[in-house]
Each structure stands twice: as structure tokens, then as C-alpha cells.
Amino acid sequence: MSKSIGIIGAGPGGLASAMLLAQAGARVTLYERQAQVGGRSAALDVESAAGTFHFDSGPTFFLYPRVLTDIFAACGLALDREIEMTRLDPQYKLTFETPEGEPDGSITAWSDVERLAAEVARFSPADAAALPRFMADNRAKLAAFRPVLESAMHGVRSLMTGPMIRSLPLLRPHRTVDQDLGTYFKDPRVRLAFSFQSKYLGMSPFRCPSLFTILAFMEYEYGVYHPRGGCGALMAMMADRARDLGVDIRLGEPVEAVEFAGRRATGVRTRSGLAKHDALVINADFAEAMRTLVPDALRRRWTDRKIGAKKFSCSTFMLYLGLEGLETDVPHHSIYLSEDYRRNIAEIEAGGAPSDPSFYVQNASVTDDSLAPPGHSTLYMLVPVGNRHGDGLDWTAERPRYRQLAIDRLQRLGFRDVERRIRTEAIRTPLDWEGEHGVHRGATFNLAHNLGQMLHNRPRNRFEDLDGVYLVGGGTHPGSGLPVIFESARITSRLVVDDLGISPHWQGGSTMSEPDYVPALAEAS
């Protein structure tokens, strides 16, 4: 009799785990509270008189495809045959602001390092000359630390392994991202161009550990990709492949409680009744799942009180606009960095909404004509704001004011007459992330990635507080971000099959190899 595995949450990690565990021969049931798969990476379809506009609700691009490529290969599939991915070039455009409020130049982030260096040289020739050294050092850093990111953490002893010890000299844990970048780049705007990526983790570059300079490196080394139809389309495709492998996906069926015999999870209870499972994988928001599904008395290291004392990432104010007309003069990705970036960070860390925010805009219709009706375009705007720790802002009252502020700021990137051209829109605030989407404190990037909450200090893939319970997603090791979440799925799936005595063909060491799939992917210019 094959083993039965229940998975709570059909986010990226839950879907990848379902595919791997089903391929291994287990009977997998995937429970999702929403009516669609994807979690924070789900598609958001908004209707209008002009037709349907398709948005990504969360992540808007795909970085470092090699992990998911390996997962698909382990399941007998080829990622590049399942979905078209376009490598973006330029990857994005960064615009800087002067104290007077007008742009102070920009950097077009070409994937070609020589072209990128020419952009940097306009700000600082010395910084441009340091770019090859930055790339070489971070190439070595990623190579040294990759075995750690691909391995489970079982406690302090996991820090005593050969790969971890060999990687330490390159990690420089006493530095932040900004401090580490200061050894290469002296111009603060150039440092921001290579450190804003810490926002992918919901963190400030002035607090984020220096390990994460590898994020900017990975963009230039491996590319930034747009899946046709968006990341939500990628999630839907993964669900289809999981069903092909025999996974029972139950949409709109939230888990109401986890059943226990002592400290061992034995199944879940939903509106359909009690379902017994040999193992349980939790892909729901970690803090919210623990507080709502697992009795506090069963947890030791991760009690409600201890979770309450942890640091969580920032939240986001999201604006999704369906516009009449095409924005052909604005690139696919744009980042606007306000002049007083440190004040922005301070306002966010205080739980507020920046008065003069930095923000990110996706204008995906310049690359993908499937997202909007003919003659129209989608516009996605993300503004980092504070999470809902403590009293915080009253987002019910703040929502209309911040919407108007956000629309006004779009002019700084070259968007004109936006309000008149809006044909449909949707807004998501920290209150929505928390209430409608089950994200603890509305912290969209989960637990913060400070040194005290990384590696063995993060909730472990084989959850240490319970028996028969495993974690996957941004709330466990290795952390947040799509490629890292997919790696968590691979780590967790290995632990599950090992504990249940299943021996799939993919069990054992990493199958990662240098990427050979890039030529098969579409190029955009």
C-alpha cells in the first residue's frame, strides 16, 4: 500500500512538493483554501467592459530557473516545453530621485555586463571598473554556499559540515548587504542598484546579511525571465502536471484542524471530514498555520509567544491597473528609488507607509500580449510598506489616500494621464494580505532573513516541534523567493521519502548541473 501524504497549501512549494512526492509513488492530497492554486504567486484576473486583464498577484518574474528545471526533470518533464519563458534584456530600469523630486538619472540594467558597466560608469567610472570583481567574488560565494542552501538544517550541528565551514570566509556575516557592496562601489546610487534586491526578501539592504549580494549577481549571471501568462500561469501549469501525476488537488477546501496522536500528526480535518495521512507537509504561511491549526501546548520552540517575538518582513501596497492604450516607451520592469531611501526604510520599519515612497512597476504588456485585451495594457505597482505589527496604520482609512499617491507617483516613470485611462483596477493592502490571504501580520515575505532567523534558526524542513510534520515555503529553510522556495520543496521531499521508506529515482544527492536550457528560452530586447 502506497503512503498517503497531505499537503496544506498550493503555493509554489506545495505544488513542487506534490509533483515530487507523487512521482515518488505516494498518494498525495493537496488542500488549498482559495479557489485557485498559487498562494501569493496566484494569478489575479480582473474583468472589465474591455475584457479580462491578467495580473500576477505577487512575484512578477522568474529568477534562477535551474532549480525548477531540475524538479521537472525529476518528474520526467521539461520545463521549457511546458511554458514559454522570455529572458528580459534590459532586466529593468532604475530611476533615482533628487531632493527636488525630479529624477537624477537612471541605470538601464542590461544583462550583458559590459553594457551594464557603461551605465554604471556614468555615475562612477571607478565603480564600473569594480563590477568584474563583484561578479567574480559573488560567483565564488554562491558556489561555496550552494551546498548549504540545498541541504536540510537539523540544528547547530548542521553548521559544522564541510560546506558550511568552507563557505564562512566568503559570507562575511558581520557585514550588511550595503556594507559589503561598499567594498566595490562608492557611489550610493550604484550600491542601491545592486542592493534593492534585498526587497525580494522584504528586508532593508542596511540590515540584510551580506550573503544576499548574491541576488543581484544571480540576475546578471542567470537572467531574469517572464513566463508567458505570468507567474500565475506557471503555477496553474504546475497544478496540471501534478494532477497528471495523480495528485488530488482540492480547491476551496481549507484545513480546519490538524489531527494528532500525542505529538504525531495523523491527518487533517476539513469540511469533507477527517482524512488520515502518513505525513503532513505544511505550505501555508508558517506563523498563521501554527497559530490556527496546531495547539500551542504541542509546540516547544515555536509557541505563539515565541512566534510573536520574531521579526517579520515588510508588507506591500499593491495596485493592479488595467489601462486603455499601450505603454511602449516604458520597460517591462521599472524601479523608482526616492532620494531619501533611508527615511523610506525607517518609515517601513516603524510600521508605516512611506510619505515619498520608492516603488516597483511591471509593464508586462510590452513583452506579453496575452495579459490584456487588444489595445490595452496591464500595470502592476508594488510599494513596500510596514507590516501589521502592533497598532499600525488603519488601512481601511488609508487605502484611498495611498491609492491616489501611488497613481500620482507613476508620472515620475513616464506614465501619463493614468487615471483617465483606467478601465479596471484592484488594490491589495497589508490588511488584505492578512485577512483574505492568511499572511501573518500581512508580512508578504514571511519571517525576516536576519542572522538570528536563518539556517538552523529558521523553522526546519522536518519540523522540530512535531512528528510527521514537514514544512515547505518561505517560512522554512532556505527562505523566501521563488527559486529558494522550490529548493525547500526539494529538501523537504527528500526528508519525507527518506522517513517513509520510499526510494524514488531522484532520491540522493542534488541533480543540479550548469544550466543548458537557456538557449531554448525566448529572448526579448
Side-chain angles (χ1 to χ4, degrees):
M1 176 69 71
S2 60
K3 299 293 186 179
S4 173
I5 300 171
I7 301 178
I8 302 175
L15 291 166
S17 298
M19 291 174 63
L20 287 169
L21 293 170
Q23 174 69 13
R27 289 179 291 115
V28 180
T29 305
L30 180 53
Y31 305 92
E32 170 54 50
R33 68 196 293 265
Q34 302 287 353
Q36 61 181 337
V37 301
R40 274 163 263 193
S41 298
L44 175 63
D45 298 333
V46 184
E47 301 296 331
S48 76
T52 304
F53 292 83
H54 307 282
F55 302 89
D56 284 322
S57 59
T60 56
F61 62 88
F62 200 76
L63 177 67
Y64 201 56
R66 63 188 304 170
V67 183
L68 190 58
T69 297
D70 281 353
I71 289 173
F72 268 66
C75 295
L77 302 167
L79 178 62
D80 60 350
R81 294 179 184 174
E82 299 291 340
I83 193 164
E84 177 187 337
M85 285 200 193
T86 300
R87 183 169 182 170
L88 301 177
D89 196 20
Q91 297 179 155
Y92 40 78
K93 182 178 181 180
L94 298 111
T95 299
F96 301 95
E97 180 188 31
T98 66
E100 293 75 29
E102 293 300 321
D104 182 28
S106 61
I107 290 178
T108 299
W110 299 102
S111 60
D112 179 80
V113 176
E114 289 188 6
R115 296 185 74 180
L116 175 65
E119 291 286 308
V120 172
R122 293 190 295 107
F123 291 83
S124 169
D127 288 356
L131 186 56
R133 180 166 61 91
F134 167 81
M135 293 294 290
D137 289 354
N138 278 270
R139 189 174 294 114
K141 183 191 291 189
L142 178 60
F145 202 66
R146 203 179 94 188
V148 178
L149 294 175
E150 295 173 1
S151 303
M153 288 283 124
H154 301 296
V156 176
R157 68 183 186 277
S158 297
L159 302 182
M160 301 298 109
T161 62
M164 186 69 199
I165 293 171
R166 287 191 293 272
S167 71
L168 285 177
L170 298 173
L171 297 185
R172 296 182 280 274
H174 58 286
R175 292 182 186 169
T176 66
V177 163
D178 182 69
Q179 289 169 341
D180 198 56
L181 289 174
T183 65
Y184 304 93
F185 311 123
K186 301 308 178 186
D187 191 297
R189 295 163 298 180
V190 175
R191 291 202 302 275
L192 278 180
F194 289 86
S195 67
F196 80 88
Q197 293 86 351
S198 62
K199 274 290 178 282
Y200 301 167
L201 307 174
M203 290 194 69
S204 156
F206 311 115
R207 294 187 186 273
C208 195
S210 66
L211 163 67
F212 294 107
T213 58
I214 62 174
L215 292 174
F217 160 77
M218 289 166 67
E219 290 182 337
Y220 295 108
E221 186 84 345
Y222 297 103
V224 172
Y225 294 87
H226 171 77
R228 182 166 178 81
C231 290
L234 175 63
M235 298 299 112
M237 179 271 289
M238 291 178 67
D240 288 342
R241 299 295 79 76
R243 291 187 182 98
D244 293 343
L245 291 166
V247 178
D248 180 9
I249 300 180
R250 302 185 181 182
L251 299 178
E253 188 167 341
V255 170
E256 299 168 353
V258 176
E259 296 291 316
F260 291 92
R263 304 186 65 81
R264 175 165 292 278
T266 59
V268 299
R269 187 173 297 279
T270 73
R271 66 188 180 193
S272 301
L274 176 63
K276 294 288 187 179
H277 295 294
D278 297 300
L280 193 63
V281 177
I282 296 180
N283 180 223
D285 183 88
F286 169 74
E288 199 66 14
M290 290 300 115
R291 294 169 59 254
T292 58
L293 300 179
V294 180
D296 192 49
L298 290 181
R299 291 177 270 129
R300 297 169 181 167
R301 185 166 176 247
W302 295 97
T303 63
D304 288 352
R305 181 182 64 81
K306 292 179 179 178
I307 289 173
K310 296 298 179 181
K311 299 291 185 182
F312 285 81
S313 77
C314 69
S315 188
T316 55
F317 175 88
M318 313 293 301
L319 187 59
Y320 312 91
L321 301 176
L323 297 181
E324 181 181 9
L326 301 175
E327 300 287 352
T328 56
D329 295 332
V330 181
H332 187 112
H333 294 308
S334 298
I335 296 99
Y336 184 87
L337 298 163
S338 64
E339 187 272 334
D340 198 343
Y341 193 74
R342 285 184 180 269
R343 187 181 73 175
N344 264 218
I345 297 297
E347 290 173 327
I348 292 169
E349 291 179 341
S355 53
D356 184 20
S358 300
F359 56 90
Y360 156 78
V361 175
Q362 182 205 39
N363 179 36
S365 293
V366 297
T367 302
D368 187 347
D369 62 7
S370 72
L371 300 174
H376 295 73
S377 57
T378 59
L379 208 62
Y380 165 117
M381 185 176 186
L382 180 155
V383 183
V385 297
N387 67 42
R388 286 180 46 78
H389 180 52
D391 294 334
L393 285 177
D394 178 359
W395 276 103
T396 301
E398 185 71 6
R399 175 183 170 122
R401 185 193 75 83
Y402 220 68
R403 172 199 178 274
Q404 191 59 54
L405 182 148
I407 289 176
D408 291 344
R409 291 300 189 275
L410 286 171
Q411 297 183 46
R412 300 186 181 185
L413 290 179
F415 296 99
R416 297 288 180 260
D417 203 17
V418 171
E419 188 76 66
R420 183 188 63 81
R421 296 190 291 120
I422 295 174
R423 295 296 170 261
T424 190
E425 69 179 84
I427 296 174
R428 195 166 286 172
T429 72
L431 185 63
D432 300 316
W433 283 118
E434 182 180 54
E436 296 179 20
H437 300 277
V439 177
H440 184 61
R441 297 183 185 173
T444 45
F445 306 95
N446 223 296
L447 285 161
H449 291 72
N450 54 46
L451 288 176
Q453 296 181 176
M454 288 174 55
L455 302 173
H456 68 294
N457 288 323
R458 211 163 181 81
R460 296 167 197 165
N461 303 86
R462 181 192 286 119
F463 188 46
E464 60 269 35
D465 275 0
L466 303 167
D467 296 327
V469 173
Y470 304 81
L471 303 179
V472 68
T476 188
H477 174 72
S480 294
L482 283 179
V484 181
I485 286 173
F486 289 132
E487 188 60 62
S488 79
R490 186 156 55 174
I491 293 170
T492 295
S493 296
R494 290 188 184 120
L495 293 172
V496 172
V497 298
D498 184 57
D499 291 349
L500 294 182
I502 304 172
S503 298
H505 74 275
W506 49 260
Q507 173 66 333
S510 170
T511 61
M512 286 178 115
S513 58
E514 289 303 315
D516 59 2
Y517 49 82
V518 172
L521 301 176
E523 298 282 336
S525 58

